[in-house]
Structures are given as structure tokens and as C-alpha cells.
């Protein structure tokens, strides 16, 4: 462990992706995508399938050539460097362990390719297997390991070469929910301990928000917003981000200067750059409060129990709004009850009305 | 393989190019090896003894002694074998997949045996063991051909069944009220069409070209006739040989394209609906 | 397939005492077991009659003289002289035409599998299926027209002073037969190995490259070891196919090349001294032995090569 920490000096490269363009036939998988990753930082690329996040990662690894743009590692352009010389450890979605090698030999493979002597290789591989908690499985073949164990070996293998950048391509997506959360925490704590620059691709917002220092939400080959998880959630700059990260409802409103009128309330607009008058307000479930009111404008449509809170869907005029209510309070709300709504957030995001975004689920 | 090697540090672009050159070379050599003999055979069939272009071989075929008999014998054997092999193998394979999954390995093993056991040795045993009345009939060959085609037929059917989730389909069909035969006819067989079709194609191709067993069982099937006739006239014999080849290809193409247009039609129907 | 009737019977017993219900249930199970066995009976009987009996007959006659008495004379005859040579040639031919087409087929299958044209892939899959079952008289004619003394490839090569016949090549010889066998052996290998290539995951290639392996080293450390069991299995099949082949060699050389199957054919066609009919059966038995030994060798190598699979 201490040695791995000592070797941490070689990690922590700065990665800059500049205006990457990659065209497959008629689709632009990357359409001017830029991203800066600070040394030792973990950045998650988040987005629906087909948004270009995997292409961006593969361009960084060297498996995908870009038609345009630059990939800089510590300021050096690596566009002409082949994958095997990039010193980037990558963990793939699943089944990337070499089936004909034991866990130990898988982990040692990268060192073998670098001409490290076999005893040194063994020691290092054992050390890394210990790091991921699989020391006793060193002699097993991949098919004798569970999915989670396989991914941990894959992580050890990627770290064994002391890569300048660690690349994770949806490494948890093929695992059970339980294993996934456990491994998520393990990857994060390892990454922080080794202070290794990491780019992580995922379509799972929970994963991205819980692990990353910063999250880059991608859409149609471009970065939509790059921010810390907290900022992304509470201050999304677009309806797409609001929709993709967390839960949100849209309510048609009329905009009046810097404010909009919502259920008789004047609410400040967060994004002043939008000039249209007819817009949609984008509301988080906790932005709104419910009051039982037989004369209220809204009625309860649906309740779903989520533990401490209950998510209540109410219908108001032409819109449906989802509101989080403490579960003990929600007990009194029944289907069809009339209620009144009030905005409790200090400001709201608005978005153009025609620009409805349908976020596809994978 | 050596051409695949790329020195470290070479940019990906030229490597991709090199792989394409390598692939083109391999495919080119293969194409030459497989196409030149075909071309040579065809050219020889359309020549006379002096080496000039001629259609005489084509015109002369039907009048040659023994040709018609050999031709019809081969056709009869091909279709009886086809019927026999389908009747035996389709229900067995389906049944084993559905109800006897543990027997699958055994079935796999048994159906490989005919590849391993030389047909010439097999016919040797058959000629000793078969009863006289059966030895007097050409259909003894059909019965043996069912054995010979087993490996290919089983593999095609097995692939077809594995490609669909047979058990779920059958359970869904039964839960919707279909009985056994209805399920077989309306659910299983239509979904196995591709597998059955490729099994049939392989069966026909194998039987129409089989020489070993037929010649040792002393029946003049088409391949045996061709072999015997080459002493009389090489051009005619080669012409018949090439025609039987082309006939087999046409048969296969027709069956495959029938299947394709059928599935295309049903897809279009589905789109309209 | 009609289980409804049985279910009805079982329903009728509900309410009776548990013992009788259990008895009915076990009756149902036994009935179902019988029915399942019955469903595969035709297949088993057919294979026994068509495969089992002839094999037993071959083994039986291998150890009998024409009068029907038990003897070892036949088996001892085939371990000497021309019959031994037949076996040696057959084994050499089978080895040559399984290893070489094995690698050629692997290369070709890889070239096809990595090509991006689905049309090419489908076409070659169909063509391989047909060509793998190709052989005998058609193949013989095609090659006589190609590489016979007046064949077109011969004349093309003669035009550039490379006439193969002047360089010691003879189509109607052992090596001629071996060359012609490629025509069905290579497609057979393509057919057998393509699924295994499909199981070679792109992620392995990328992971290796990511860890610093060149293409060559990927093949050496991962690609070939992973494929090895399948390649070996494919070559075994090729060995069997070539060892058993009779039609092509017979029609190409008119029965003159010394191979075990050709000798069987000659003995059976009556080209033998009387009293030697049962030698053919002994050769057949000998071929079983060769194949059995090959299978055992294969099994041993396979165990070593695929220890990571278990």
C-alpha cells in the first residue's frame, strides 16, 4: 500500500480535450467536445446512450481517432501516440479479463509488456490484488470469479502499470445493485488515495453524482454542463440537465421581466439570458410545497412511497408536478384530493416552451 | 500473421491501412484458389476435343446411355433422404431441447460420430449386416445418408433452436391456449424455418454429390455415372459434373432467397400493421 | 404433448387421502418419464441400426477368416507391407491436410470476421457450407481442368516457364491429392472456427493494447492461447475428414495412390485375390484404432490447453 502511495508521484496528469469532433457516417458522435481534468481529479461523463461519452473516453485511450481537435496530456498532444504507448489504465464494461490467465497474471500483464522481471512483477501484482481485497483469489481464472471480483481484478490490472490517467468505461453497469454500491465506494477511495487523474463514463446519474469531483453532462456529442454534483443538481443551466440529473417537472408560465408568475406567486428567474415570454418553469420535487385546500387548483393523481419521503404527483391546469412530501404528512393525501401548491425555492430555472427535451432512458 | 505486427509507437492510421491490405491479400488468394478450378471446369465443359468452343457436350447429355436413370435415382435418393432426416431429426431435437436437456450432450456426441467414422468403413459394415431384401434396394443408401447428414442437420437445427428461446415460446403458446400440435405447427416450426432450411440445403448438397457409398453399394447414381462415363467422353462427363454442381447451387440459392423474401414480406406486413 | 388429460386425472384425486395422491403423482411422473424415453426411441434405434450394427460387423469380420472362424491373421496382415504403407500414407496425408488447412482456414476466417461487409460475411458463410461438403468427382474434374497436364493454370504457368509438371508436380500423386483436399478442408475449418473467433472479445484486444501490448504480443499471449482449444478441435475434425476421404482420392488417381480407404475400396471392388475379402474389414478396424488414438491424444492436449476453462 505504502509503495503504491509512494508511486503516486507518477500519477496526477492533467488532461485537456479540445474541440473533439468524430463523425461516424451521418452521426456526429463528438461535435466539438471540450473538457479539462485537473491532476488527481475524478470527472464523470454522464449522458444518455449515444451522447458520445464512450467515444470521448475511447479517443482519450487512443482506440478512436478524432477527425478534429486535440487530446493533451500534461500539455503534450497524444493524437499520434498509439494506445499501447499512452500509459492509460482502462477498466472496461465487463469481460475484459484475459480468460487464459489467472487473476495474478492478468494484473501482471501490463508490467510484462513493459519488460519488468517476473519476481518484481509478481510482487507488484500481489500488492495490487491485496489493494482491491482479492489476494486469496490470485490463482483463480476469470470464469471462477464473480462479476464484481472480475471488475476489481480489472481495476488492479489497470492500476498496476501506474497509469498517468485511469479510464473507467461503465465498469459497474453489468453488476448487481448491491455489489455496485460497494465497488463504487472502493473505486472512489482508491482513486483519492492514489490521487490519480480519472475519467469515468456512466449513464447512471446516481453513480456519477456520488463518485465524481465534477460531472460533465453530455448531449449529442457536446458537453452540456460541467460542474460539481451539488451545483449540477441545484443549479442546472439547462432543462436537459435538470431532466437528466434528478427529477424535475415542467410547468408552462408567463415570464415578466426577471420573474414568472406561478400559482399566484412571483418567483425570480435564475437564468436571465432567456428572453422569450412563454416559457416552462423547471421544478425539483423539493422546490414545491403542498397544502390541503378543498378550493385549491390542483388535485392528487398519484403517490409513490420512497421511505422517509413520499413523491406525490399532482395535476394542475395542463401540467403534472411531482412534489416530495414527508411520508407522515403524505398519509392524509388521497387520490383526487384538492390541494394548493406554493414554490419554496428562492429562484427557478426556465426553459423555452417548444424545446421540450425527452430524455431517453437506457 | 507477421503482417499484423506493428512496431510500437506507430500511429493508428497506417496500421488500419496495413490491416486492410493484409485482409485484401488473404481474400484475394482464397478467391483465386476457389474460383480458378470452377472456371477451368466450366471452360473444359464448353470445349470439344480440338479445344474449340462447343455446345456439343451439353446437347449430347440426354442421349447418353444410363444418364437418365442415374439422374432420377440421385433425385429420388435426395428427396427420400431429406424426408427421412427431417422426420427423424426435427422432432427428436425439439423434444430433447424442451424436455430432456440432460440428453443434449449425448445427442451432440452421437451426431458427431458420422463425421469421425469413415463412410467407406461404414458401408463395409452395412454390406455385411444388412438383410438381403434391403441390400437389393437403392433406398438402403437413403437410410445410410440419413446417418451421414446427421452431424450437419443436428448442428443446423441446434443453432436454430438456440437462437430462439424455445421453452419460453412454448410456454407462452400453451398459456394462450394452444395444444401441443398447434404449438408445434404454428409456433415452433415457423420459428425454426431458417434452421430447417439450412439443414435441408446441406442434406441435398451432400446426397447429390455422394460417391463413396453409392459406388461400393454398386448403384449408379449421378456421381458414379459421371466417373464411369469419363472414359467414354471427358467433356460430357465434366459438363454433367459442372451442371450438377450448378444445379445444387441454384437449388440452394432458390431456397435461401425464398426464405429471405418470405421473411421480408412478413416484416413488411408487420410494419404496415 | 397433451398434459391436460393427466392434469385432470391428478385433479380428480384431490380430496382423497394423501397416500393415494402421492401414488398418483409418482405414477404420473413414471408415465412422463416413459413418454420422454419413448420420444427419443426412434432416434436411438435408428442410430443403433445404422451406425452401431455396421461398426460391430466391421470389428467382427476383421477377426474372422472367410469361413467364419476367429483369427488374427487379417489384423496381422495389415501391419505389414503395402497395407502398413497405406496407413502411413493416410496418416501423413491427414496430418498434412489438417494442420495446413487449419492455419489457412483460421487466417481466412479471421480476415472475414474482421471485414465490415455483412454481405461478404454471409456469402462466405454459405459458400463454406457448400464447399466443405464438396468432393469426389466434381472436384476431380475441376482440378484436372486446372492443374492436369493440359489444365489452364498449368498452361498459364508454362507461359512464364513455371510449368509445375516440369518442376516435379504430379496431380495424380500423394501431394496432388493433398493439394486438392485443401478445397474442402479450408472451408470446413472456416465453418468450424468462425464461432470461436466471434467469442474473441474486442475488449481483450483493447485491454491488451491499453496495457502496452503490440498486435503481435496480443496474439501470442491472448489471442492464440484462447483460440487454441477451438483450433485444435477444428484440426481434429479436419484430420478425421481427410483420413476418411475416399471419393476424391479414388476418382483423381483411379485407385492408384496407396491410402487405407483406397485399399478398402479395391478389396471390396473385387480387385483382390480371393480369400482376402476380410482384409478390408481389418483395415476398417485399423482405421477405427487410428481415429481412437487421435481422439485420445486430442483429449490429452485439450486438457492441458484449456485448463483455464475449468
Amino acid at each position: 500500500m505504502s509503495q503504491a502511495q509512494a508511486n503516486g508521484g507518477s500519477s496526477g496528469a492533467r488532461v485537456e480535450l479540445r474541440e473533439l469532433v468524430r463523425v461516424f457516417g451521418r452521426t456526429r458522435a463528438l461535435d466539438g467536445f471540450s473538457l479539462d481534468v485537473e491532476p488527481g481529479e475524478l470527472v464523470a461523463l454522464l449522458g444518455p446512450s449515444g451522447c458520445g461519452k464512450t467515444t470521448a473516453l475511447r479517443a482519450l485511450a487512443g482506440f478512436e481517432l478524432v477527425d478534429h481537435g486535440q487530446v493533451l496530456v500534461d500539455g503534450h498532444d497524444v493524437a499520434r501516440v498509439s494506445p499501447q504507448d499512452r500509459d492509460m489504465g482502462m477498466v472496461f464494461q465487463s469481460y475484459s479479463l484475459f480468460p487464459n490467465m489467472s487473476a495474478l497474471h492478468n494484473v501482471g500483464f501490463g508490467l510484462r509488456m513493459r519488460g519488468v522481471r517476473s519476481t518484481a512483477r509478481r510482487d507488484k501484482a500481489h500488492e495490487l490484488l491485496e489493494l482491491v481485497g482479492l489476494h486469496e483469489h490470485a490463482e483463480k481464472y476469470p470464469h471462477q470469479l464473480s462479476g464484481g471480483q472480475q471488475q476489481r481484478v480489472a481495476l488492479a490490472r489497470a492500476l498496476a502499470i501506474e497509469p498517468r490517467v485511469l479510464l473507467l468505461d461503465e465498469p459497474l453497469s453489468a453488476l448487481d445493485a448491491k455489489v455496485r454500491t460497494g465497488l463504487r465506494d472502493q473505486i472512489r477511495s482508491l482513486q483519492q488515495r492514489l490521487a490519480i487523474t480519472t475519467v469515468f463514463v456512466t449513464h447512471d446519474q446516481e453513480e456519477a453524482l456520488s463518485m465524481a469531483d465534477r460531472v460533465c453532462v453530455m448531449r449529442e456529442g457536446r458537453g452540456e454542463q460541467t460542474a460539481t454534483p451539488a451545483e449540477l443538481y441545484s443549479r442546472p443551466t439547462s432543462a436537459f440537465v435538470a431532466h437528466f440529473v434528478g427529477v424535475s417537472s415542467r410547468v408552462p408560465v408567463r415570464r415578466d421581466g426577471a420573474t414568472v408568475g406561478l400559482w399566484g406567486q412571483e418567483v425570480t428567474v435564475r437564468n436571465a439570458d432567456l428572453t422569450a415570454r412563454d416559457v416552462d418553469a423547471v421544478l425539483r420535487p423539493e422546490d414545491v410545497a403542498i397544502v390541503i385546500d378543498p378550493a385549491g387548483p390542483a388535485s392528487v393523481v398519484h403517490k409513490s412511497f420512497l421511505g422517509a419521503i413520499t413523491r406525490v404527483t399532482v395535476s394542475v391546469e395542463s401540467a403534472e408536478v411531482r412534489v416530495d412530501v414527508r411520508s407522515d404528512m403524505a398519509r392524509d393525501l388521497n387520490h383526487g384530493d384538492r390541494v394548493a401548491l406554493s414554490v419554496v425555492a428562492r429562484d427557478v430555472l426556465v426553459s423555452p416552451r417548444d424545446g421540450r427535451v425527452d430524455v431517453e432512458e437506457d | 500473421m507477421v503482417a499484423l505486427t506493428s512496431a510500437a509507437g506507430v500511429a493508428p492510421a497506417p496500421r488500419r491501412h496495413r490491416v486492410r491490405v493484409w485482409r485484401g491479400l488473404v481474400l484475394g488468394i482464397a478467391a483465386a484458389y476457389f474460383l480458378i478450378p470452377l472456371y477451368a471446369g466450366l471452360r473444359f465443359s464448353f470445349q470439344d476435343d480440338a479445344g474449340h468452343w462447343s455446345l456439343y457436350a451439353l446437347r449430347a447429355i440426354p442421349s447418353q446411355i444410363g444418364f437418365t436413370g442415374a439422374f432420377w435415382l440421385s433425385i429420388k435418393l435426395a428427396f427420400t433422404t431429406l424426408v427421412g432426416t427431417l422426420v427423424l431429426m426435427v422432432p427428436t431435437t425439439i423434444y430433447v431441447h424442451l424436455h430432456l436437456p440432460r440428453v443434449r450432450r449425448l445427442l451432440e456426441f452421437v451426431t458427431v460420430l458420422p463425421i469421425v467414422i469413415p463412410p467407406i468403413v461404414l458401408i463395409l459394415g452395412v454390406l455385411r449386416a444388412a438383410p438381403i431384401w434391403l441390400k437389393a434396394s437403392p433406398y438402403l443408401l437413403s437410410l445410410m445418408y440419413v446417418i451421414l447428414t446427421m452431424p450437419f442437420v443436428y448442428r443446423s437445427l441446434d443453432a436454430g433452436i438456440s437462437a430462439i428461446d424455445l421453452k419460453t415460446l412454448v410456454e407462452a403458446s400453451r398459456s394462450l391456449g394452444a395444444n401441443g400440435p398447434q404449438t408445434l405447427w404454428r409456433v415452433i416450426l415457423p420459428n425454426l424455418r431458417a434452421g430447417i432450411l439450412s439443414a435441408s440445403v446441406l442434406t441435398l448438397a451432400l446426397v447429390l454429390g455422394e460417391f463413396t457409398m453409392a459406388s461400393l453399394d454398386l448403384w449408379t447414381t449421378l456421381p458414379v455415372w459421371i466417373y464411369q462415363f469419363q472414359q467414354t467422353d471427358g467433356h460430357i462427363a465434366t459438363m454433367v459434373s459442372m451442371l450438377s454442381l450448378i444445379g445444387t447451387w441454384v437449388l440452394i440459392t432458390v431456397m435461401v432467397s425464398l426464405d429471405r423474401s418470405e421473411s421480408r414480406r412478413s416484416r413488411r406486413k408487420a410494419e404496415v400493421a | 404433448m397433451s398434459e391436460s388429460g393427466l392434469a385432470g386425472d391428478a385433479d380428480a384425486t384431490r380430496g382423497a387421502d394423501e397416500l393415494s395422491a402421492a401414488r398418483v403423482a409418482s405414477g404420473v411422473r413414471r408415465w412422463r418419464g416413459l413418454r420422454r424415453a419413448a420420444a427419443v426411441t426412434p432416434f436411438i434405434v435408428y442410430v443403433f441400426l445404422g451406425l452401431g450394427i455396421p461398426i460391430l460387423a466391421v470389428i467382427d469380420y476383421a477377426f474372422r477368416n472367410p469361413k467364419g472362424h476367429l483369427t488374427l491373421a487379417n489384423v496381422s496382415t495389415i501391419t505389414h507391407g503395402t497395407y502398413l504403407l497405406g496407413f502411413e500414407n493416410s496418416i501423413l496425408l491427414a496430418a498434412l491436410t489438417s494442420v495446413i488447412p487449419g492455419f489457412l482456414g483460421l487466417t481466412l476466417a479471421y480476415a472475414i470476421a474482421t471485414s465490415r461487409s455483412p454481405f461478404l460475411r454471409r456469402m462466405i458463410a454459405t459458400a463454406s457450407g457448400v464447399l466443405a461438403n464438396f468432393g469426389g468427382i466434381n472436384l476431380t474434374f475441376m482440378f484436372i481442368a486446372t492443374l492436369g497436364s493440359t489444365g489452364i493454370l498449368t498452361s498459364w504457368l508454362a507461359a512464364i516457364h513455371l510449368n509445375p509438371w516440369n518442376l516435379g508436380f504430379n496431380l495424380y500423386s500423394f501431394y496432388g491429392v493433398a493439394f486438392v483436399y485443401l478445397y474442402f478442408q479450408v472451408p470446413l475449418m472456416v465453418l468450424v472456427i468462425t464461432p470461436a473467433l466471434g467469442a474473441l472479445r474486442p475488449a481483450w484486444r483493447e485491454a491488451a493494447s491499453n496495457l502496452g501490448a503490440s498486435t503481435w504480443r496480443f496474439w501470442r499471449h491472448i489471442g492464440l492461447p484462447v483460440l487454441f482449444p477451438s483450433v485444435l478441435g477444428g484440426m481434429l475434425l479436419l484430420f478425421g475428414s481427410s483420413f476418411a476421404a475416399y471419393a476424391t482420392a479414388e476418382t483423381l488417381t483411379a485407385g492408384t495412390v496407396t491410402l487405407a480407404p483406397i485399399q478398402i475400396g479395391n478389396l471390396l471392388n473385387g480387385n483382390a485375390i480371393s480369400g482376402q475379402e476380410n482384409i478390408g474389414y481389418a483395415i476398417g478396424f485399423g482405421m477405427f484404432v487410428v481415429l481412437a488414438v487421435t481422439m485420445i491424444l486430442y483429449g490429452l492436449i485439450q486438457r492441458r490447453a484449456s485448463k483455464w476453462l475449468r
Side-chain angles (χ1 to χ4, degrees):
Chain A
M1 189 112 18
S2 57
Q3 200 195 332
Q5 236 159 0
N7 289 334
S10 69
S11 57
R14 172 190 305 276
V15 172
E16 294 154 85
L17 304 180
R18 295 228 178 111
E19 296 289 320
L20 300 186
V21 175
R22 178 71 173 115
V23 182
F24 294 114
R26 259 182 291 166
T27 51
R28 298 175 79 83
L30 290 177
D31 192 7
F33 176 66
S34 297
L35 178 72
D36 285 0
V37 187
E38 299 297 320
E41 192 185 27
L42 193 158
V43 172
L45 301 181
L46 176 68
S49 62
C51 69
K53 57 189 191 299
T54 298
T55 311
L57 191 79
R58 292 170 60 82
L60 185 50
F63 296 132
E64 213 55 83
L65 295 176
V66 289
D67 301 317
H68 243 280
Q70 280 180 306
V71 178
L72 303 179
V73 178
D74 278 341
H76 298 291
D77 192 345
V78 295
R80 305 284 296 172
V81 179
S82 71
Q84 72 240 37
D85 299 316
R86 285 201 187 186
D87 271 338
M88 295 189 186
M90 183 153 170
V91 179
F92 296 81
Q93 221 165 28
S94 59
Y95 306 118
S96 72
L97 292 186
F98 307 132
N100 57 324
M101 298 179 195
S102 64
L104 191 72
H105 283 114
N106 261 286
V107 176
F109 184 80
L111 300 172
R112 189 174 180 185
M113 292 301 111
R114 282 161 177 72
V116 176
R117 277 181 309 106
S118 84
T119 45
R121 209 160 72 205
R122 270 188 95 79
D123 292 348
K124 180 79 183 174
H126 273 299
E127 183 191 321
L128 276 148
L129 279 174
E130 206 171 323
L131 203 61
V132 295
L134 285 175
H135 195 247
E136 67 275 31
H137 297 295
E139 298 304 328
K140 287 193 177 167
Y141 287 99
H143 79 280
Q144 297 167 320
L145 300 169
S146 72
Q149 289 171 334
Q150 288 188 26
Q151 290 304 75
R152 274 145 75 195
V153 175
L155 180 67
R157 182 175 71 177
L159 290 174
I161 59 172
E162 289 165 16
R164 292 195 288 171
V165 184
L166 181 64
L167 307 174
L168 307 170
D169 183 9
E170 307 212 21
L172 308 174
S173 64
L175 305 177
D176 297 340
K178 265 254 163 61
V179 182
R180 191 156 31 184
T181 32
L183 193 46
R184 193 159 83 190
D185 300 342
Q186 201 181 3
I187 292 178
R188 176 56 165 163
S189 70
L190 260 178
Q191 182 269 335
Q192 283 179 321
R193 197 158 55 199
L194 304 175
I196 181 166
T197 310
T198 304
V199 181
F200 181 96
V201 159
T202 180
H203 64 268
D204 180 340
Q205 46 150 316
E206 198 189 316
E207 217 165 87
L209 297 182
S210 65
M211 288 175 74
D213 293 310
R214 284 187 303 144
V215 177
C216 170
V217 177
M218 287 186 70
R219 179 193 184 188
E220 288 167 7
R222 254 183 282 208
E224 189 88 355
Q225 183 179 2
T226 306
T228 63
E231 195 184 341
L232 207 63
Y233 185 80
S234 57
R235 316 206 54 90
T237 53
S238 73
F240 179 83
V241 175
H243 234 87
F244 199 76
V245 178
V247 173
S248 61
S249 314
R250 300 173 69 107
V251 180
V253 287
R254 265 181 95 80
R255 178 202 180 107
D256 193 10
T259 60
V260 291
L262 251 176
W263 310 310
Q265 237 176 308
E266 292 270 296
V267 190
T268 315
V269 171
R270 190 189 308 156
N271 46 341
D273 53 319
L274 203 69
T275 51
R277 278 183 62 81
D278 287 317
V279 290
D280 280 347
V282 181
L283 300 165
R284 293 282 187 210
E286 62 274 16
D287 288 349
V288 182
I290 290 187
V291 187
I292 298 179
D293 178 358
S299 66
V300 176
V301 178
H302 180 72
K303 289 201 297 185
S304 56
F305 178 74
L306 301 175
I309 56 152
T310 295
R311 188 155 293 161
V312 182
T313 308
V314 299
S315 154
V316 51
E317 285 149 25
S318 63
E320 289 207 333
V321 181
R322 279 173 287 184
V323 185
D324 283 352
V325 180
R326 267 172 53 196
S327 286
D328 53 341
M329 315 288 264
R331 228 172 298 150
D332 302 333
L333 294 170
N334 293 308
H335 182 86
D337 284 357
R338 305 299 299 182
V339 291
L341 302 174
S342 62
V343 179
V344 292
R346 65 192 150 93
D347 51 19
V348 297
L349 176 79
V350 297
S351 82
R353 188 162 304 167
D354 351 352
R356 266 209 111 82
V357 198
D358 290 313
V359 178
E360 53 180 294
E361 301 289 331
D362 305 66
Chain B
M1 272 309 116
V2 176
L4 259 173
T5 317
S6 93
V10 174
R15 185 173 61 203
R16 213 185 278 171
H17 179 71
R18 213 168 340 147
V19 167
R20 210 173 300 141
V21 168
W22 168 86
R23 181 163 53 222
L25 200 69
V26 169
L27 292 177
I29 293 172
Y33 179 77
F34 287 104
L35 293 179
I36 291 177
L38 267 177
Y39 166 72
L42 280 173
R43 209 179 81 147
F44 187 74
S45 338
F46 287 103
Q47 281 174 342
D48 58 21
D49 285 335
H52 299 301
W53 259 97
S54 166
L55 285 174
Y56 95 93
L58 191 61
R59 273 193 236 104
I61 294 172
S63 59
Q64 302 306 313
I65 299 159
F67 169 78
T68 346
F71 177 75
W72 285 116
L73 180 61
S74 274
I75 297 285
K76 274 189 279 187
L77 289 180
F79 281 95
T80 46
T81 305
L82 183 59
V83 171
T85 203
L86 292 182
V87 167
L88 185 70
M89 295 306 292
V90 172
T92 306
T93 314
I94 292 174
Y95 198 86
V96 166
H97 265 265
L98 276 181
H99 298 298
L100 299 166
R102 268 171 302 170
V103 181
R104 253 182 87 179
R105 289 193 68 95
L106 181 74
L107 197 62
E108 245 159 58
F109 173 73
V110 169
T111 54
V112 168
L113 286 179
I115 297 191
V116 183
I117 294 162
I120 185 145
V121 182
L122 199 57
I123 193 71
L124 211 59
V126 170
L127 290 178
R128 272 296 161 95
I132 302 279
W133 58 269
L134 195 55
K135 271 196 271 191
S137 160
Y139 294 106
L140 172 64
L141 285 175
S142 291
L143 294 177
M144 291 319 294
Y145 290 167
V146 170
I147 299 270
L148 287 192
T149 56
M150 226 171 238
F152 309 100
V153 170
Y154 175 74
R155 233 113 292 196
S156 300
L157 293 177
D158 187 65
I161 291 176
S162 305
I164 59 174
D165 188 354
L166 187 68
K167 213 168 169 65
T168 310
L169 280 184
V170 169
E171 280 164 5
S173 160
R174 296 301 285 269
S175 78
L176 291 168
N179 62 26
Q182 283 173 324
T183 302
L184 181 69
W185 190 250
R186 298 194 173 270
V187 179
I188 301 179
L189 291 183
N191 278 298
L192 276 185
R193 200 182 43 210
I196 293 175
L197 196 80
S198 72
S200 309
V201 164
L202 290 171
T203 301
L204 293 180
L206 190 141
V207 175
L208 290 174
E210 208 285 331
F211 174 82
T212 308
M213 285 193 162
S215 73
L216 293 176
D217 196 20
L218 304 179
W219 284 101
T220 310
T221 57
L222 199 55
V224 176
W225 181 84
I226 296 171
Y227 181 50
Q228 291 166 351
F229 194 77
Q230 69 170 334
Q231 270 107 18
T232 315
D233 188 321
H235 293 281
I236 296 182
T238 308
M239 176 62 97
V240 177
S241 159
M242 296 314 290
L243 285 180
S244 80
L245 201 65
I246 292 166
T248 313
W249 277 95
V250 168
L251 192 71
I252 290 168
T253 318
V254 167
M255 289 182 86
V256 171
S257 63
L258 271 182
D259 178 60
R260 200 157 298 148
S261 67
E262 173 71 24
S263 58
R264 203 176 301 138
R265 193 164 348 118
S266 53
R267 205 176 310 137
R268 202 173 303 138
K269 238 185 277 168
E271 273 164 21
V272 171
Chain C
M1 284 227 167
S2 63
E3 255 152 80
S4 50
L6 290 167
D9 291 346
D11 281 347
T13 63
R14 202 173 287 161
D17 67 66
E18 280 188 14
L19 194 73
S20 91
R23 201 181 302 141
V24 169
S26 90
V28 166
R29 213 172 301 132
R30 194 177 314 137
W31 167 238
R32 191 179 295 163
L34 274 176
R35 219 184 31 190
R36 287 186 176 174
V40 289
T41 304
F43 174 78
I44 290 167
V45 169
Y46 198 102
V47 170
F48 181 71
L49 290 179
L51 208 57
I53 297 279
I55 291 172
L56 292 176
V58 168
I59 297 172
D60 182 39
Y61 281 95
F63 293 97
R64 284 179 195 283
N65 65 21
K67 288 189 187 118
H69 300 301
L70 285 175
T71 175
L72 288 174
N74 304 322
V75 177
S76 111
T77 308
I78 63 158
T79 54
H80 296 99
T82 174
Y83 297 118
L84 181 64
L85 184 66
F87 273 106
E88 284 171 1
N89 283 345
S90 270
I91 292 169
L92 180 64
L93 178 70
L96 270 181
T97 57
S98 55
V99 173
I100 296 171
F103 281 113
L104 294 179
L106 178 64
T107 314
L108 185 58
Y110 185 73
I112 296 160
T114 54
S115 100
R116 259 170 243 153
S117 150
F119 170 76
L120 182 75
R121 259 178 298 178
R122 210 172 42 229
M123 195 187 71
I124 295 192
T126 314
S128 301
V130 176
L131 292 176
N133 288 301
F134 207 68
I137 190 71
N138 296 334
L139 195 54
T140 293
F141 283 162
M142 276 163 41
F143 270 89
I144 292 176
T146 308
L147 274 170
S149 46
T150 57
I152 46 173
L153 192 56
T154 309
S155 59
W156 290 347
L157 290 172
I160 53 169
H161 304 289
L162 278 175
N163 188 337
W165 288 79
N166 297 341
L167 298 172
F169 175 81
N170 178 357
L171 183 63
Y172 312 113
S173 69
F174 178 86
Y175 289 101
V177 170
F179 186 71
V180 175
Y181 276 15
L182 294 188
Y183 207 83
F184 54 86
Q185 295 285 73
V186 171
L188 188 57
M189 188 66 182
V190 170
L191 217 54
V192 176
I193 205 70
T194 300
L197 284 175
L200 211 57
R201 293 171 184 278
W204 297 336
R205 179 85 182 76
E206 290 178 350
S209 163
N210 185 256
L211 293 166
S214 62
T215 306
W216 162 244
R217 294 180 110 186
F218 163 75
W219 281 105
R220 203 185 113 202
H221 295 293
I222 297 130
L224 289 177
V226 168
L227 283 179
F228 188 71
S230 317
V231 171
L232 198 67
M235 284 185 182
L236 177 77
L237 194 68
L238 262 55
F239 185 93
S241 144
S242 176
F243 189 65
Y246 166 77
T248 310
E250 165 72 17
T251 54
L252 190 66
T253 69
T256 57
V257 69
T258 313
L259 295 172
I262 300 287
Q263 289 173 331
I264 295 181
N266 288 343
L267 287 164
L268 208 68
N269 284 335
N271 304 340
I273 319 144
S274 72
Q276 295 217 321
E277 296 92 332
N278 287 21
I279 301 275
Y281 290 84
I283 299 177
F285 172 73
M287 289 178 76
F288 285 155
V289 173
V290 171
L291 288 168
V293 170
T294 315
M295 299 274 274
I296 291 167
L297 277 177
Y298 164 79
L300 290 177
I301 303 176
Q302 194 77 310
R303 275 178 82 85
R304 282 196 61 98
S306 60
K307 65 173 194 280
W308 50 271
L309 279 171
R310 270 175 289 118

